[in-house]
Every structure is written in structure tokens, then in C-alpha cells.
Amino acid sequence: MKHLLALSTLAALAAAPIAHAAPNADPALAERGSYIAKLGDCVACHTGPSNQPYAGGRAVPSPFGDIYSSNITSDPKFGIGDYSLDEFSRAVREGVRKDGSRLYPAMPYPSYANISDDDIKALYSYFMNGVHPVPVKAPETKLAWPFSMRWGVGLWDWAFGPGKVGPDANATDPVTRGKYLVEGLGHCGSCHTPRGFAFQEKAYHGDDPLFLSGGKLGAWETPSLRAGGSGPGLPSWSQEEIAQLLATGRNARGAVVGEMKLVIEHSTSLLTDEDNLAIAAYLKSLPASKAPRPTPASDAAQRLTAAKVDVNSGERLYLDNCSACHFVDGKGAPPAFPPLANNTLVNAEDPAGMINVILAGARLPSTPKLESDLAMPNFDWRLSDDEVAKLATFVRSSWGNQAPAVKADQVAKVRERVVKENREPSSGPVFTDP
Ligand code: HEC
Ligand code: HEC
Ligand code: HEC
């Protein structure tokens, strides 16, 4: 609670006048930029544990590891003080740094791509003239190979980027203004649109029924924001009720919790009523989507994402041993890590194949067209028969999988064979060729 309060004062602190402001800086422009920074919620991600506004260092989680936000204060050495307007624009709208390297999409540049030229200019003026320089180095992001290679993000952009959109920042009709804000600066889709195997948002624009159709965020399910038509959830809210929630975090229908609370604190609660009503008008214009949601999770998988799981359960064993590669939603990251949801081996009537993979590990074939150096480690040294049985039962009944439960004596049988074939029982993980 305490840090929430501290955070809510950040934007105010950051906006305090500073000494090095260029004498010819246009205060009105910087002032407008400060409002645009609120629309974009820049302070939330760019403020780290040291609580210095915009000095970076907050770990933004991704399935590939934590990505640290940059120092974007006006400090010329550690921040972006030496960025020109063009360089700033490229970083924010295209995800390319001054030195030409790629930013990871943990920075929501795919959404920010639609920010208008006028708004970028104002934002730039604010960061150069209205934000204190903080001379501290943000921690370096160190992801495991292949995600450590920033140039790979260029391919990602090519495959999954949102493409160009015609921004209409100054539209006076609320729906068009709302579209500009929601699809762009508000980056609502980064939490409310389902993600694909490469962590890309599956859609960036409202005409695609997957856009804002509900996503997943760590332990949270985020609701669909498509508020048109009728039905339970947002469609039953009025435009005013939605705007009220954005402004205050609550309305007659309820109150927000978790990450959305922070969005409201740093961003939507600081907006004009017109802008919150515009956002609500746009959400009301999106027909509630009947598009298939990601595979409906079974009860067990629901519990898995609900933070509190029993220490000895299959869910817990999965979280501790498997989710790093196959992810909590069982979708993996093909072609590197296969999905376990709807996987034929996992759903086979006879669990022996799956038990074998868990106990002995496996290695993906390396082919000229798709080189691979990835292996599934063996877990025979780590998990008892009973634990493998619980784990396998969990996997076989989650994320839409439907296969019979596994018993400890079935595991014991496979273990006997694995030990015999390997001649010696192994004493640790085997990542190299057997
Ligand atoms: C959801 C979190 C998030 C939000 C919101 C966000 N950023 Fe970022 N931003 C990041 C992360 C993480 C990085 C570093 C990415 C990397 O290292 O590849 C970054 C990097 C940057 C950089 C690159 C600086 C450099 O040279 O490294 C700029 C400029 C930037 N952000 C500006 C902004 C502005 C302006 C806003 C608001 C309009 C904003 N960001 C909102 C997460 C965010
Ligand atoms: C950092 C992630 C994140 C971002 C960005 C985000 N949301 Fe949310 N939102 C959530 C989560 C998590 C919930 C579910 C928690 C809840 O319902 O209280 C939620 C819930 C909501 C709800 C439903 C509240 C309720 O009580 O049912 C609305 C409306 C909403 N968000 C609107 C928006 C809008 C509009 C934007 C963009 C301006 C946005 N959100 C951006 C994470 C986010
Ligand atoms: C270090 C990453 C990693 C971890 C941790 C991991 N796996 Fe795997 N897993 C892989 C890779 C890579 C493959 C593909 C191997 C192959 O097909 O030869 C794989 C394959 C599998 C398969 C076979 C899928 C198929 O289509 O044939 C199953 C089942 C499986 N893993 C289950 C698990 C379970 C259960 C756990 C936890 C005990 C686990 N994995 C932990 C990387 C991992």
C-alpha cells in the first residue's frame, strides 16, 4: 500500500521545474507533453526501485526473462538527453535506439507507432525540458540466448508488428479520439489482448475481433474490453460507468485490483473527463467478440494461474520444473519448446511416452533448415515416482488436455526401463547428447 502511495506522487515530482531547461523551450509545449506522458503511462515502467521518476531500472517481466527499462531522464550520459527529436521518435514509435540497436517489445512501441507527429514533439519537449536529469545507469538486460540477440527483434517486428496506422489525434468525435488513445498511447492491448507464441499481441486494431478480447498477465486473467452489444461483463456497463472506473478505479459495478490499479493511478485518473469518455465510447463501439479465446483452461490450470497453489500438487511441480520452457499456459514457444496443450504425446491413452520424456529428457533434432541445440532435461534424478505421477496427471488434464490420470506404479515401470537403457542412473541434468 505504502509504495502505491509513493508511486502516485511520481508524476508530480517529475513535473517539477528544472534548472537546465533550455532558455528558448516552449513551456506550453512541454506542458502538453507532460499530459501525453500520462496518456502513455511512461512513468509506470520507467521508474525503478529507487523511486526516481523516469530513471529506469524497473524489471518488466517477459517469458524470456526480465527486461529492465531504460533511464529516459534528460541526463545526456545515462538518459536520453542527447537524443534528437528524430532519434526520440524512432525509439518511441519504432523501437530503435540512437545507436541503431533494437528495443525489446517490453517497451510498447508497437502500440506507440500510432502517436501523431504533434504529440511526439510535445512529448520530446517534456522529456528534454520538464524531466530532471538523473545520472544513474539502468541495469543491463541479460536474456538467455537466442533472446539476447537484439537484432532478432527486427525479425519479430517484421513478422508481428502492427504495421502503419493513420493517427487521428485531433479528432473531435469521441470514438475516433478514443481509438487513437486506446490503440496507441494507452497500449491497453498489451495486457488485454491475447498473446501468441512469440509473445506478440494477436491484434493491434479494433476491427480484428481478437483485439482487447482478454489476455493473461502473470497470475491475472485480464477481462475483454470489447464493450459493444449485450451480455455479461463490460457490455452491460454504460459509457459513463466505464469512464468513471477509469477516472476513479471504481463505479457502481465494482472496483479494480492488481495491475489495473496502477494503470488508473499513473494514467487514466489523471486524464480529462473528455478523454476518459472518448476511451469508453471507443470500447462501446467494439462488438463483443465471439472469436475463440485461447484454449479454455481446465480447473487445474485456472488454479495454476491463481498464485496460491498447494506445495505438493501437480500444479506446483509443474511451476517449479516445467513452466520455464513450456510456460504456465502450456503453450510453450514453438519451434524451440513444444506446446503441451493439445500435444499428442501428452494426450496419448498410454502415458509411457510422456513419462519417458520426463524421466530421460529428449533432444530436438537439428536440421539444416532449423538448427537446434535445445534439449529437454531429464528429471529422473529429481522427481519421485509419485511426483511424476502427480505432475503428469496435471499436464494431462490441463489447457484442454483430456487423458487419464497416471499412477505411481506406471512411472516405476518406465523408470526401470530408462535406468536399464542408460546403463547407469544419472546423477544430474543431462543437457548434452547421451
Ligand atoms: C510497459 C512498460 C513501458 C512503458 C509503458 C513505456 N516504456 Fe519505454 N521502455 C520500456 C523498456 C522495458 C525499455 C527498454 C527496452 C530494451 O532494453 O530493449 C524502454 C525503452 C525506452 C526508450 C529507449 C531509451 C534507450 O536508449 O534505451 C525510450 C526513449 C522510451 N522507452 C520512452 C518511453 C516513453 C516516452 C514512454 C511513454 C510514452 C514509454 N517509454 C513507456 C518499457 C516501457
Ligand atoms: C499493465 C496491464 C494493464 C494495462 C496496460 C491495462 N489494463 Fe485494464 N486491467 C488489467 C487487469 C489485470 C485487469 C483485471 C483486474 C480487475 O478487473 O480489477 C484489468 C481490468 C480492466 C477493466 C475492468 C475492471 C473491472 O472491474 O471489471 C477495465 C474497464 C480496464 N481494465 C480498462 C483498461 C483500459 C481502457 C486500458 C488502457 C487505457 C487498460 N485497461 C490497460 C491490466 C491492465
Ligand atoms: C530447459 C527447458 C525445458 C524444461 C525445463 C522442460 N522441458 Fe519439456 N521439452 C523441452 C524441449 C526442448 C522439448 C523438445 C524435445 C524433443 O522433442 O526432442 C521438450 C519436450 C517435452 C515433451 C514432449 C513433447 C512432444 O511433442 O514430444 C513433453 C511431454 C515435455 N517436454 C514435458 C515436460 C515436463 C512435464 C517438464 C517438467 C518436468 C518439462 N517438459 C520441462 C524443454 C524443456
Side-chain angles (χ1 to χ4, degrees), residues 169-220:
N170 302 318
T172 46
D173 81 285
V175 174
T176 312
R177 170 74 179 163
K179 179 179 165 73
Y180 172 74
L181 294 177
V182 168
E183 293 185 358
L185 279 158
H187 64 280
C188 314
S190 70
C191 295
H192 287 278
T193 297
R195 302 226 180 213
F197 69 90
F199 204 53
Q200 83 279 16
E201 288 162 48
K202 288 190 170 161
Y204 290 96
H205 307 298
D207 45 15
D208 186 319
L210 283 175
F211 181 67
L212 298 183
S213 65
K216 208 170 249 166
L217 186 74
W220 298 98

Side-chain angles (χ1 to χ4, degrees), residues 317-318 320-326 335-340 343-346 353-355 357-358 361-365 372-377 379 383 391-392 395 431:
L317 290 164
Y318 182 80
D320 290 346
N321 296 292
C322 324
S323 64
C325 296
H326 296 287
F337 303 119
L340 301 183
N343 182 294
T344 47
L345 185 73
V346 171
M354 177 183 179
I355 297 171
V357 171
I358 296 174
R363 170 169 281 271
L364 280 169
S372 165
D373 198 23
L374 293 163
M376 154 94 184
F379 287 88
L383 300 175
L391 174 61
V395 172
F431 285 97

